[in-house]
Each structure stands twice: as C-alpha cells, then as structure tokens.
C-alpha cells in the first residue's frame, strides 16, 4: 500500500461520507480492498446495489460487474469503475450478436430454449437473454437458477461458461447424455442440430482461462504429498478438476470453507491468486492456505490504488458507466429474475 495514495483516498472518503460507496470484488488487490466499504462475490455485490443510498458508487472489479450495478442503480445514482478497460475474458467469448444469431438458428430449427446467462456476460447479452424470458445466474446460485430454468420445460441454453454449466449439470444430476456443447464457430453455421434437438441443456463453449489452469493432476500431486490436505476450487474450473477437489463454490463459499476449517488444516485453493493470498495472510499461524497453482486475472489486476484515487478525484466530472436504453430494460429483467428466484 502506498501511504500517500491511501491517505488521499481516505480523505476523500471522509469528505464524501455517505454520498460515496466503494464496492470491491474478492479478486481485487489488497491495496484496493483496504478502501472498500463492501467486499463480496458477484451475487452479494449485485444484491447490495439496491440498498445503497450513495450518489456515487465506485465498483472495483471488471466491467460487466459495473454494468450490472448500473442496471440496478436508482435514478440519480452514478456508477464508476476505476479501470474501464478491465474486461472479463470469458464474457468476451459470447458476443451479443453471435448469441442472438445462435438462438435464432436454434429457433428456426424448432428448438426454443430458455437462455440462462452467467453474470460474467455483457449487458447486451443479458438483454438478449432477458428478452426471451431468461435469467442471469452467478456461481453462488447457478444450481438454483438452472433448476428453475429446467422447470420452465423448454430446455436451456447455458452461457457463456461451459465449465460452470457442466459442473452445475453434474450437481443437479443432468447427465452428459442430456447436454450438448454447441459449436458456435462460423457464425453458428456448424451447429449440430440433431445433437442440439436431443439435448436438454445446451452449453456455450466459453470458459475462464484463469481457472482453466487448475488441473485434476495438480490435485492428485497435492494429495500424494499430503493426503490430509483439503482442496477447494471455483466452479469455473473443469468438471475433472471439480470432481477431484473436496469442494467447489463461489468466492464467498471458498472464504467460508477456509473460515470453517479446523485449526491446523492444510487448504489448497484453485481460484484467483489475490483471494488465495489474502486468505493465506489472514490465517497465517493458524491454518495453512496455499494456491493449487499461481493464476492471476490480469483484468482484475487493472484496479489499483492509483486509478481508484483518480476516479475519486474525478467523481463530479467523470462519465459514469451507463447501459444503453434499449438494452437496459430486458437486461435488468434478466438480473431481476435472478434476484427474485434466488432470494
Ligand atoms: P464469484 O461470483 O464467485 O465472485 O466469481 C466471479 C468471477 O469472475 C470468478 O472468476
Ligand atoms: Fe472473468 Fe475469469 Fe477474470 Fe473471473 S477470473 S473476471 S471469469 S477472466
């Protein structure tokens, strides 16, 4: 932490009082987290927005998170993000125009699936989903949301994360024979329609490159060295990795898992390194917390004390994060459906 920057940030926070709220995702650097009023996972942070009275809300995370906050903000509230170029690589694997085309191709073939998008997607994708009666989910409620989507009886397109989709199917008992990973290349021209028609859950072929690094063989190596070690991973990891682990869940689940582990436990974590390091420091001397391998989200890392301070200095003049009007209503409907179903 830079003392000079930290003091300036603290001064502005003091001056602004309750007119300012700083939210941070668990993957942000400690330097940024130190200034957060609220720290949380994707679901917790989106749930908080409607309860905030602050005029200015600074969202330290990646862009889709700030965009989701902008949808849920009240009139007059302004959402800011310190690193506007902090994209989520996975969300970029599902461009809205391609999602629309793929859904239209499926519909033309008679497959009218309900789309369910992971919150790690653009507002434009959420709008495509919301316009078809679909919803959003996060890693913390994917099971509940996929159950709800399946209960609508039309079959489901889960996007953009094929890993979270498969892991959630596994948890709900939707066998591999009942699901199909779409080939969306060539603008959807390569879709295998007979496989798609037969499947109950269609999966978009996106994934998180940061979580793809955690392999089942790494877990086997951990167990060989220390059979007593517990391994917990994020459900964006592959199904093989999740099956090899002792537990899998959202960032908040991982935090709780470590908190509830007995003193002396050796816990190995498969998720973004900033969170693993924070937990390792917090429990040093009491429990051992270590990474399955070192994997950093460079986009999350774009949030720094420097750009947080620059954002705070420019609060009154900066262009807040907004969502185009045509996108806002259907995208918000998809997010609101999630908040209602998973309440
Ligand atoms: P959580 O919803 O678990 O906070 O995860 C968000 C994310 O981007 C994980 O890579
Ligand atoms: Fe996106 Fe992966 Fe980074 Fe999470 S860790 S924000 S899913 S790229």
């Amino acid at each position: 932490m830079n003392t000079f920057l930290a003091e300036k940030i603290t001064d502005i926070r003091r001056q602004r009082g309750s007119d300012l709220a700083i939210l941070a995702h668990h993957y942000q650097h400690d330097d940024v987290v130190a200034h957060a009023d609220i720290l949380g996972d994707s679901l917790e942070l989106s749930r908080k927005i409607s309860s905030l009275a602050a005029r200015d809300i600074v969202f330290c995370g990646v862009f889709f998170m700030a965009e989701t906050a902008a949808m849920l903000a009240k009139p007059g509230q302004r959402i800011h993000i310190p690193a506007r170029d902090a994209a989520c690589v996975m969300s970029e694997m599902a461009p809205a125009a391609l999602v629309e085309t793929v859904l239209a191709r499926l519909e033309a073939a008679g497959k009218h699936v309900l789309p369910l998008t992971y919150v790690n997607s653009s507002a434009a994708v959420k709008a495509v989903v919301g316009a078809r009666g679909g919803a959003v989910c996060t890693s913390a409620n994917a099971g509940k949301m996929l159950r709800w989507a399946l209960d609508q009886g039309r079959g489901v397109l889960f996007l953009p994360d094929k890993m979270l989709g498969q892991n959630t199917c596994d948890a709900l008992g939707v066998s591999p024979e009942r699901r199909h990973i779409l080939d969306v290349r060539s603008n959807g021209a390569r879709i295998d329609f007979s496989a798609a028609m037969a499947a109950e859950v269609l999966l978009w072929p996106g994934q998180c490159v940061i979580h793809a690094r955690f392999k089942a063989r790494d877990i086997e190596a951990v167990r060989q060295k220390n059979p007593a070690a517990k391994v917990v991973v994020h459900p964006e990891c592959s199904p093989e990795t999740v099956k090899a682990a002792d537990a899998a869940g959202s960032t908040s689940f991982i935090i709780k898992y470590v908190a509830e582990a007995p003193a002396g436990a050796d816990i190995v974590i498969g998720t973004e390194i900033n969170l693993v390091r924070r937990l390792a420091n917090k429990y040093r001397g009491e429990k051992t917390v270590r990474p399955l391998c070192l994997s950093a989200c460079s986009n999350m890392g774009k949030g720094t004390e420097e750009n947080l301070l620059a954002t705070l200095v420019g609060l009154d003049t900066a262009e807040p994060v907004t969502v185009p009007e045509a996108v806002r209503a259907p995208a918000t409907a998809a997010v609101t459906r999630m908040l209602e179903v998973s309440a």
Side-chain angles (χ1 to χ4, degrees):
M1 184 181 289
N2 177 316
T3 320
F4 175 76
L5 297 175
E7 279 174 5
K8 287 215 166 299
I9 292 170
T10 306
D11 279 350
I12 297 175
R13 289 180 68 202
R14 202 175 294 125
Q15 284 159 22
R16 297 262 169 179
S18 58
D19 280 343
L20 169 68
I22 301 179
L23 275 58
H25 185 265
H26 292 305
Y27 290 165
Q28 292 285 296
H29 283 303
D30 282 352
D31 291 358
V32 172
V33 164
H35 300 291
D37 296 297
I38 302 168
L39 178 64
D41 71 7
S42 309
L43 180 60
E44 291 162 344
L45 293 174
S46 39
R47 276 206 182 118
K48 287 279 182 223
I49 300 295
S50 61
S51 66
L52 295 175
R55 187 200 74 161
D56 288 293
I57 299 170
V58 178
F59 207 119
C60 304
V62 287
F63 194 74
F64 77 79
M65 296 179 173
E67 234 185 5
T68 309
M71 285 177 221
L72 298 170
K74 290 186 267 292
Q77 275 183 321
R78 296 153 55 90
I79 306 294
H80 310 266
I81 179 166
R84 250 186 199 261
D85 61 338
C88 166
V89 178
M90 181 210 290
S91 87
E92 295 194 331
M93 291 178 188
L98 183 57
V99 174
E100 179 67 57
T101 302
V102 166
L103 281 164
R105 282 183 186 266
L106 290 166
E107 285 156 6
K111 185 86 178 166
H112 296 267
V113 284
L114 187 75
L116 179 64
T117 186
Y118 190 24
V119 70
N120 297 36
S121 53
S122 67
V125 165
K126 292 182 178 85
V128 172
V129 168
R132 284 174 166 81
V136 171
C137 72
T138 74
S139 60
N141 63 19
K144 211 176 208 180
M145 294 309 298
L146 181 58
R147 183 72 273 152
W148 167 84
L150 286 167
D151 287 347
Q152 310 308 302
R154 288 162 48 184
V156 177
L157 168 64
F158 189 95
L159 71 156
D161 188 3
K162 67 175 178 188
M163 302 305 193
L164 179 63
Q166 291 177 93
N167 290 324
T168 311
C169 281
D170 284 342
L172 292 185
V174 179
S175 64
E177 298 73 43
R178 291 161 63 198
R179 54 209 207 209
H180 170 66
I181 300 175
L182 289 171
D183 185 341
V184 298
R185 289 173 296 173
S186 309
N187 209 25
R190 300 195 198 184
I191 292 172
D192 176 344
F193 283 103
S194 62
M197 294 305 277
E200 214 171 318
V201 177
L202 301 177
L203 299 150
W204 193 269
Q207 64 176 320
C208 168
V209 290
I210 285 85
H211 286 88
R213 293 188 188 125
F214 302 110
K215 307 285 187 203
R217 63 170 180 270
D218 300 334
I219 300 180
E220 281 150 30
V222 164
R223 296 205 191 286
Q224 276 191 354
K225 273 198 190 150
N226 183 359
K230 293 288 179 200
V231 182
V232 58
V233 301
H234 196 278
E236 286 175 14
C237 295
S238 73
E240 296 70 37
T241 301
V242 167
K243 280 187 197 111
D246 294 289
S250 71
T251 50
S252 291
F253 174 91
I254 292 171
I255 292 166
K256 194 161 170 267
Y257 187 91
V258 175
E260 289 174 356
D266 180 8
I267 307 147
V268 179
I269 304 180
T271 199
E272 212 273 344
I273 194 67
N274 277 319
L275 174 57
V276 184
R277 282 205 185 114
R278 188 170 311 120
L279 290 169
N281 289 334
K282 180 169 180 186
Y283 292 100
R284 182 148 297 132
E286 190 193 332
K287 311 171 190 185
T288 305
V289 176
R290 50 198 174 105
L292 187 53
C293 74
L294 200 157
S295 193
C297 177
S298 55
N299 280 297
M300 282 285 183
K302 287 177 182 168
T304 62
E305 251 183 334
E306 281 85 355
N307 55 30
L308 174 57
L309 176 59
T311 303
L312 296 180
V313 168
L315 281 181
D316 297 327
T317 50
E319 197 54 47
V321 176
T322 52
V323 177
E325 260 327 295
V327 162
R328 192 187 178 92
T332 308
V335 177
T336 309
R337 230 164 258 140
M338 167 186 82
L339 295 174
E340 284 165 7
V341 173
S342 73

